[in-house]
Each structure stands twice: as C-alpha cells, then as structure tokens.
Amino acid sequence: MSTRKHAGATIITAALMLGLAACAPATTPAATQPAASQSPDAAGQVSGTITVFAAASLKATFTQLASDFEAKNPGTKIVLSFAGSSDLVTQITQGAPADVFASADTKNMTKLADAKLLDGTAKNFATNVLEIAVPPSNPASIASFADLAKPGVKVVVCASQVPCGAAADTVEKAAGVTLSPVSEESSVTDVLGKVTSGEADAGLVYVTDVKGAGGKVKGIPFDESGKAVNTYPIAAVGSSRNKELAAAFIAMVTGADGQKTLGEAGFGAP
C-alpha cells in the first residue's frame, strides 16, 4: 500500500473512532444522580440552622436523626418542634418559622400544599399503625379492640383532628365498635402519658410509641389496625430561609440512613 493510501486509511479510521465516541451514551456523574442514590449529607456542603416541625410520634426517631445529621455535617443545627400534626399545620399557616414539616398523615400535609405553603412536593417516608397500649399489669384485662368498649374501661384516644385520632375513628367503624373515651388528647404522646401514669386502662397509640416506651407499657395488637395505615410525608416549607439545608435533611430522612433508623423504631416502609 502506498504511503498516501496508508495515511488516508489512518485518517478515516481515526475519524470513525471519534464519531463512535461522540455517539456513545454519556455517563452521568455521581453528583447528578437522584438524591436517593447519593449521600444525603456530605460534610461541608451545608451549614446554618433549620427548624423542623414534626408529628409527636416522630420525637424519638427525629431526635436521633437530627443528632446524626449534625454529627456528619459540622456547622449545622437542627431545631426540633413536636406536636400533633394538625396543631403544627395551624402554626405554620399562622406564620411560624418552620423550614421542614413532617406529618403523621397526608391529610394535614395536603392542607399546606393547597395553601401554597410548601417548597416543592412532599415525599412519603414512613408508615405506622395503631396498637393498644396498657399498663404492664393490664388491670382491665384488655385482649382485643372490642374489649376497649367494655363498661368501666378507661380508654384514652387522640382527638379526631389529629392523625392518630382519625385512625382510631376509622378502626372503630371497621370493627363495628363504638368507644367512649374518658379523654381525647391533642397528640399521641399525651395519650401514652395517660397510660404510663396510670390515669387510663388503655390508650390507642402507634406501634412505634409502644416500642419506644419499653417496659412502661404493654402492647396489644389487633387485626382491625390494618384498616387505618397512616402514611408520613415530609416537605420543605416555602418560607424557609435555608432551603439547601432543609433539602439535605429531608434527603437524609428519606435516604438509607433515615430509613434504617425509622425501621429500627418500628415504622413501616412508605
């Protein structure tokens, strides 16, 4: 082959190789992968303080998650405020300075979405079901949901506007049992407090509350609880002044680390 032909073949081959390289699919850099597949809290990437409003049933897990997040992200501070989801919605609607809201149901989150008070779309991160909590000695001999309606049994539930109360209403209808509670509380932790203090024979709380209480109460599961599964969503509040930090915390909650902590506490997958 002549030198000219050989050079021409070399040029053509090189051109073909360049063309194939240009047509090959690009590899997405790790930094642009979806949040679920990357570390949600890379140290040094976020700073400052945010306030997280969270449902009362999340107190133990979110306290742990906030501590873990701060440890992995020096220079950050997560301030936590716990209450019934409906109370938190009222506070945010009235202008309370929240950066993130985690609700015990989708209904209350929807209220903020409808009011245009969220930044982006809420993400579901956990589920929970009710369980009967009784004192360790179970003085009223509670063994089923129907037993809560027996004469003389002092039962405590959440108020209907609170997620745990709405779930209790759903369970009552599913079981065909009407309860006559001695009190209706504004949060699930208040219900648990009535049981642990001996003021009630039984209370309707979440599975996670019974587990978190350790030996202070005994849990009585019941089949009808499956009729009222609460889904927990989390979202950034539109008025947040540190949206980057809010997004990073949400990423941790919905990511592998958060899901592991929530699962260990008894929460179900979203």
Side-chain angles (χ1 to χ4, degrees):
M1 181 183 291
S2 69
T3 303
R4 180 177 297 177
K5 288 182 178 180
H6 179 74
T10 302
I11 293 171
I12 292 172
T13 300
L16 286 172
M17 291 179 66
L18 287 172
L20 288 172
C23 293
T27 301
T28 304
T32 61
Q33 292 293 323
S37 64
Q38 60 178 304
S39 175
D41 46 13
Q45 298 302 306
V46 289
S47 61
T49 301
I50 57 169
T51 298
V52 176
F53 278 22
S57 53
L58 293 167
K59 186 172 183 177
T61 49
F62 266 45
T63 299
Q64 180 62 54
L65 287 173
S67 177
D68 291 345
F69 186 91
E70 291 172 352
K72 293 179 180 180
N73 295 274
T76 63
K77 177 67 176 176
I78 310 297
V79 178
L80 301 169
S81 180
F82 299 101
S85 297
S86 58
D87 289 342
L88 294 174
V89 167
T90 298
Q91 292 176 37
I92 294 172
T93 302
Q94 293 177 347
D99 296 279
V100 173
F101 174 50
S103 176
D105 67 350
T106 56
K107 180 180 178 181
N108 280 289
M109 183 65 76
T110 299
K111 291 179 182 177
L112 291 187
D114 290 345
K116 311 292 185 188
L117 294 177
L118 298 181
D119 180 32
T121 304
K123 299 179 181 178
N124 297 332
F125 67 93
T127 55
N128 215 346
V129 294
L130 295 178
E131 189 167 69
I132 301 168
V134 299
S137 62
N138 195 5
S141 300
I142 303 298
S144 67
F145 187 80
D147 287 344
L148 298 178
K150 288 181 177 180
V153 175
K154 295 181 290 184
V155 182
V156 179
V157 300
C158 291
S160 294
Q161 67 268 25
V162 184
C164 58
D169 291 343
T170 298
V171 169
E172 281 187 69
K173 293 175 183 176
V177 175
T178 300
L179 303 182
S180 299
V182 294
S183 75
E184 296 184 355
E185 304 299 323
S186 61
S187 74
V188 70
T189 51
D190 291 337
V191 174
L192 189 66
K194 293 284 187 180
V195 178
T196 56
S197 67
E199 296 178 63
D201 296 319
L204 279 176
V205 299
Y206 294 115
V207 169
T208 52
D209 296 300
V210 173
K211 186 172 183 177
K216 294 180 180 179
V217 298
K218 177 181 178 181
I220 310 292
F222 56 97
D223 293 338
E224 297 87 350
S225 65
K227 300 294 184 180
V229 178
N230 277 23
T231 297
Y232 286 57
I234 188 170
V237 179
S239 59
S240 172
R241 294 187 177 182
N242 196 336
K243 289 181 169 55
E244 185 178 14
L245 181 56
F249 181 74
I250 291 172
M252 181 188 190
V253 173
T254 58
D257 290 345
Q259 292 300 293
K260 183 176 183 293
T261 299
L262 288 158
E264 290 173 347
F267 286 94

